């Protein structure tokens, strides 16, 4: 199905809302983030299942599915379950993540139709043996400097009539009410604003960054020769009181953001986060009854003529 596990050094993979960084450092170590990537993808399973079912309505019988920027393969395996007649290739630049993807496929009994390929998305999709009938790229493209160029590479690796499903954008996640009784209201919105500044710097510092490309995804799909056929946003709504799995994810996510944004947060917000993350504090996310998970992610679909 796939071969060519070359060594690459770029950061052309993105999986999950939380990026591994400190506020002043735009490098992301995705292998280090592996546990959190799996935790998030598994919790977001209902959302991805909705998206995959929607794609199956449009493309019911692909023979080869490629997950571009697969991470540890949670969504790759979900796609394999959704399309039981398809072969799936997970493509990523980090071998530890691909190893975890192969382990997951073996546990789920789909190793006979599951392969991995080590390649950077900015370099194309490596050495695929066959063109893809369905190519899924979930929050990975924004880690490539030349997004239009990477999209052109995706389009080139599609079979005639093949479908590209591009998941980019949506809405910021929310885990707590605007005013949850500790510190100043609006903590998550302030953290989002800081992360947006970091994201802009990360994008600007990527090799081959093309700043003039507006993130009008339907227009970019058309620009690389695909026919934009659909856009749909999928909601993940896990209301309070949170399950143990959702609560654990919220603690992981806020802790990761606390570590990454610490130098840009003011002292009051850092103190608020410390209270939220302290397992011994009854007002923390480990105990409080108002914790929830709410987010929305958008998928853009393009078809190769």
């Amino acid at each position: 199905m796939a071969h060519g596990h070359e060594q690459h050094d770029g950061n052309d993979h993105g999986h999950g809302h939380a990026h591994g960084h400190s506020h002043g450092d735009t490098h992301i170590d995705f292998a280090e983030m592996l546990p959190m990537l799996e935790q998030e993808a598994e919790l977001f399973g209902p959302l991805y299942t909705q998206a995959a079912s929607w794609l199956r309505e449009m493309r019911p019988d692909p023979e080869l599915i490629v997950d571009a920027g697969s991470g540890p393969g949670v969504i790759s395996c979900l796609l394999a379950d959704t399309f039981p007649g398809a072969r799936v290739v997970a493509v990523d630049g980090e071998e530890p993540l691909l190893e975890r993807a192969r382990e997951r496929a073996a546990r789920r009994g789909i190793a006979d139709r599951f392969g991995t390929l080590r390649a950077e998305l900015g370099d194309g999709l490596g050495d695929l043996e066959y063109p893809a009938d369905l190519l899924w790229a979930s929050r990975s493209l924004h880690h490539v400097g030349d997004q239009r160029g990477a999209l052109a590479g995706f389009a080139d690796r599609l079979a005639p009539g093949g479908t590209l499903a591009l998941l980019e954008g949506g809405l910021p996640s929310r885990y707590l009410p605007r005013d949850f009784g500790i510190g100043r209201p609006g903590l998550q919105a302030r953290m989002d604003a800081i992360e947006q500044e970091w994201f802009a710097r990360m994008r600007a510092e990527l090799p081959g960054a093309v700043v003039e490309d507006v993130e009008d995804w339907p227009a970019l799909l058309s620009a690389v020769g695909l026919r934009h056929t659909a856009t749909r946003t999928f909601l993940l709504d896990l209301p309070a009181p949170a399950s143990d799995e959702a609560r654990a994810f919220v603690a992981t996510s806020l802790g990761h953001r606390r570590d990454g944004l610490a130098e840009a947060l003011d002292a009051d917000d850092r103190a608020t986060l410390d209270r939220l993350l302290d397992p011994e504090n009854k007002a923390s996310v480990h105990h409080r009854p108002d914790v929830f998970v709410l987010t929305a992610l958008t998928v853009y679909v393009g078809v190769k003529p």
Side-chain angles (χ1 to χ4, degrees), residues 260-276:
L261 303 178
E263 64 189 63
L265 293 167
D266 66 30
D268 288 342
D269 283 346
R270 288 197 301 271
T272 298
L273 280 168
D274 288 342
R275 289 187 65 187
L276 286 173

Side-chain angles (χ1 to χ4, degrees), residues 14-37:
H15 336 271
H17 281 85
H19 296 90
H21 64 277
S22 67
H23 180 64
D25 180 9
T26 60
H27 172 72
I28 305 172
D29 186 340
F30 288 104
E32 183 179 328
M33 293 170 62
L34 193 156
M36 186 171 67
L37 298 177

Side-chain angles (χ1 to χ4, degrees), residues 27 94 98 117 129 158 175 198 208 231 234 236 266 271 287:
H27 172 72
E94 294 285 352
L98 294 176
L117 174 65
E129 293 182 359
L158 285 173
Y175 310 139
W198 174 88
T231 297
F234 298 90
L236 180 72
D266 66 30
H287 304 288

Side-chain angles (χ1 to χ4, degrees), residues 215-226:
E215 292 177 358
D216 179 348
W217 300 115
L220 286 172
L221 291 174
S222 298
V224 300
L226 301 180

Side-chain angles (χ1 to χ4, degrees), residues 33-293:
M33 293 170 62
L34 193 156
M36 186 171 67
L37 298 177
E38 286 188 321
Q39 185 183 36
E40 181 184 67
E42 289 169 354
L43 186 70
F44 283 38
L47 184 154
Y48 294 126
T49 297
Q50 292 177 54
S53 297
W54 178 60
L55 292 173
R56 187 177 57 195
E57 294 173 6
M58 292 182 281
R59 187 66 195 251
D61 56 354
E63 293 184 14
L64 177 62
I65 298 173
V66 173
D67 183 358
S70 64
V74 178
I75 304 175
S76 311
C77 290
L78 186 150
L79 290 169
D81 291 340
T82 304
F83 298 92
R87 293 170 296 134
V88 177
V89 175
V91 181
D92 204 277
E94 294 285 352
E95 182 58 31
L97 301 181
L98 294 176
E99 180 179 355
R100 187 63 65 95
R102 292 190 292 270
E103 292 171 355
R104 177 177 291 269
R107 289 197 307 272
R108 298 177 71 92
I110 57 173
D112 60 332
R113 57 188 183 93
F114 189 93
T116 61
L117 174 65
R118 185 171 186 180
E120 299 296 346
L121 304 190
D123 299 333
L125 290 176
D127 194 8
L128 286 172
E129 293 182 359
Y130 305 103
D133 302 300
L134 173 62
L135 196 157
W136 167 268
S138 173
R139 294 179 290 180
S140 53
L141 186 65
H142 64 239
H143 291 285
V144 182
D146 183 358
Q147 295 181 118
R148 184 190 298 249
L151 273 178
F154 290 172
D156 183 61
R157 302 318 298 268
L158 285 173
T163 298
L164 169 63
L166 180 69
L167 192 158
E168 288 287 349
L171 296 174
S173 296
R174 288 290 179 266
Y175 310 139
L176 291 161
R178 182 192 66 87
D179 186 349
F180 50 86
I182 304 175
R184 290 185 295 139
L187 172 64
Q188 286 189 267
R190 290 191 293 278
M191 294 170 68
D192 289 340
I194 294 169
E195 284 193 327
Q196 284 299 313
E197 293 178 0
W198 174 88
F199 187 83
R201 289 200 308 276
M202 184 275 292
R203 288 277 319 142
E205 294 174 11
L206 287 171
V210 180
V211 296
E212 63 264 26
D213 272 340
V214 176
E215 292 177 358
D216 179 348
W217 300 115
L220 286 172
L221 291 174
S222 298
V224 300
L226 301 180
R227 181 167 52 90
H228 173 240
T229 58
T231 297
R232 185 169 170 184
T233 296
F234 298 90
L235 179 71
L236 180 72
D237 180 12
L238 305 178
S243 66
D244 290 344
E245 293 79 10
R247 195 177 294 276
F249 166 73
V250 169
T252 299
S253 177
L254 288 179
H256 185 75
R257 296 176 81 189
R258 164 66 173 83
D259 293 342
L261 303 178
E263 64 189 63
L265 293 167
D266 66 30
D268 288 342
D269 283 346
R270 288 197 301 271
T272 298
L273 280 168
D274 288 342
R275 289 187 65 187
L276 286 173
L277 293 167
D278 180 2
E280 303 302 318
N281 193 314
K282 291 301 181 183
S284 76
V285 296
H286 300 277
H287 304 288
R288 56 186 309 128
D290 55 355
V291 174
F292 59 88
V293 178

